[in-house]
Amino acid sequence: MSTSMPTSAHPSASPGPVAETLEDRVLLEDVDRLGARIKEARAGIARVIFGQEAVIDGALVTLLAGGHCLLIGVPGLAKTRLVQTLGVVLGLDAKRVQFTPDLMPADILGSEVLEQDERGRRAFRFIPGPVFCQLLMADEINRASPRTQSALLQAMQEHKVSVAGHYHDLPAPFHVLATQNPIEQEGTYPLPEAQLDRFLMQVDIGYPDRAAERAMLESTTAARTVEPESVLTADDLRAAQRLVRRVPTGDSVVEAILTLVRNGRPESTDLAEVKAHVAWGPGPRASQALALACRARAILDGRLAPSIDDVLALARPVLVHRMATTFAARADGVTVPDIIDRLKATVG
């Protein structure tokens, strides 16, 4: 007679559902904890930056997704203050570079200098530039020459720089928050498409409403100003970025992302407006950016998984700098945001 237990009675016979349940429970607890910390960080930023809740959320989504952000707005809308506040609240080493036409790549990346010791021996020593930080503010990035812009391109994509044939790793995490002035374009160098594509999102900053501007006026002209306080650390942010990639994404959300992005390409769309007005559409990096941004937005709202509403809400900031209209479309007044609204209609 066999003494072995029946398969159904064995303790490890059906570990699948139990393991999945435990994994989901752990993930839910992690998301809840992170959501509470991010909510605290958001409140800390809002005490310093007034009336820009959408901008704050856009920047936080970008950082949670592990990407870079392009901030578009006229001077005086607290873009620099926002980056400084993010650095303090998130516990990141933040630096700022003012981009000018005479800025050279070495001014950002660093350079090697020849040194001689007490024995007369000479050797090169690398002096790191301001790019060696965790949060870099590239102020008015389009005022630098294409040569300098390309020096930042490798850092944004590979998180390392090459100087004199040697690679140097950048700190982790590493994020670039770049600003542009949409009005004054004299003496500027438009960012090439390859570099624009490296920005996960473009966030447009508008004027605050009357109540927010009043609060800003009273706060910034008082004898004592409100200073930001640290809520997270760099390690906390890296853990949050890993958690974002663990968030499950439903098939309906994936299909919505693919529909949105692929319909934005003249070569693969069924929309007559896109074929007639779009010169080039978003590439696969747009799909990846949208998927990560939707997960980060879900966590920001305290949800376990993203929804189609997240896709629609993030379509414009993720796609607007990854598309271009034809000359004829611009002559007719058709803009990229108009095209994106049409794309959203195919999903919503």
Side-chain angles (χ1 to χ4, degrees):
M1 180 182 295
S2 174
T3 58
S4 61
M5 296 178 61
T7 304
S8 59
H10 196 278
S12 59
S14 304
V18 176
E20 291 175 0
T21 302
L22 291 175
E23 182 179 354
D24 290 344
R25 188 180 302 120
V26 170
L27 179 60
L28 182 58
E29 292 174 354
D30 290 343
V31 169
D32 286 341
R33 281 195 296 268
L34 176 60
R37 300 289 300 279
I38 294 299
K39 184 178 180 180
E40 184 180 355
R42 181 197 280 173
I45 298 170
R47 284 194 293 268
V48 181
I49 307 297
F50 301 94
Q52 301 288 2
E53 289 78 9
V55 176
I56 294 172
D57 288 350
L60 287 175
V61 165
T62 300
L63 296 179
L64 286 174
H68 311 289
C69 188
L70 183 61
L71 303 171
I72 307 292
V74 299
L77 295 182
K79 297 186 294 295
T80 302
R81 183 64 167 163
L82 172 62
V83 178
Q84 294 172 342
T85 303
L86 282 169
V88 174
V89 172
L90 301 180
L92 302 177
D93 174 26
K95 293 182 180 179
R96 175 179 176 269
V97 176
Q98 179 66 50
F99 279 62
T100 57
D102 60 347
L103 192 71
M104 298 299 292
D107 297 328
I108 301 174
L109 306 181
S111 58
E112 290 193 331
V113 296
L114 183 63
E115 293 185 332
Q116 180 174 313
D117 62 15
E118 63 277 3
R119 296 184 180 180
R121 293 178 299 187
R122 297 181 178 180
F124 284 99
R125 181 171 68 90
F126 176 66
I127 300 178
V131 75
F132 285 85
C133 63
Q134 295 172 322
L135 185 64
L136 176 67
M137 180 178 184
D139 209 354
E140 294 190 295
I141 188 174
N142 57 330
R143 291 200 176 277
S145 67
R147 180 183 180 186
T148 303
Q149 291 179 9
S150 66
L152 191 59
L153 182 62
Q154 182 187 29
M156 294 173 61
Q157 181 62 24
E158 302 179 13
H159 292 192
K160 62 183 177 181
V161 299
S162 175
V163 178
H166 299 283
Y167 285 101
H168 304 273
D169 293 329
L170 296 174
F174 173 73
H175 301 280
V176 173
L177 297 187
T179 69
Q180 276 192 207
N181 180 355
I183 299 177
E184 179 56 60
Q185 296 298 323
E186 184 177 352
T188 62
Y189 302 86
L191 269 64
E193 291 78 7
Q195 185 156 356
L196 283 172
D197 198 33
R198 261 64 179 186
F199 288 101
L200 187 130
M201 290 173 54
Q202 174 182 311
V203 177
D204 296 328
I205 306 178
Y207 291 107
D209 58 29
R210 187 181 184 91
E213 190 163 359
R214 181 185 181 89
M216 183 189 309
L217 177 64
E218 293 174 348
S219 175
T220 56
T221 59
R224 297 181 60 183
T225 58
V226 178
E227 296 297 331
E229 298 179 356
S230 178
V231 175
L232 301 176
T233 65
D235 290 338
D236 292 334
L237 180 58
R238 294 187 67 187
Q241 292 169 351
R242 291 191 293 268
L243 179 60
V244 166
R245 292 179 174 269
R246 290 169 51 201
V247 170
T249 304
D251 290 340
S252 61
V253 174
V254 173
E255 290 299 323
I257 292 173
L258 290 173
T259 298
L260 193 71
V261 173
R262 294 185 64 83
N263 272 338
R265 302 169 187 164
E267 301 82 3
S268 60
T269 187
D270 294 328
L271 301 178
E273 299 96 321
V274 174
K275 291 181 179 180
H277 299 307
V278 175
W280 50 270
R285 190 177 283 115
S287 302
Q288 298 167 343
L290 196 50
L292 287 172
C294 287
R295 295 175 183 177
R297 187 174 188 266
I299 289 182
L300 199 64
D301 290 344
R303 292 179 280 112
L304 180 60
S307 66
I308 294 180
D309 289 339
D310 295 316
V311 179
L312 297 176
L314 294 169
R316 177 168 177 172
V318 171
L319 299 181
V320 69
H321 58 295
R322 291 184 165 96
M323 303 176 64
T325 53
T326 62
F327 177 80
R330 293 193 293 272
D332 292 338
V334 178
T335 65
V336 172
D338 294 334
I339 299 295
I340 295 175
D341 289 340
R342 180 67 182 90
L343 294 175
K344 290 165 61 176
T346 65
V347 175

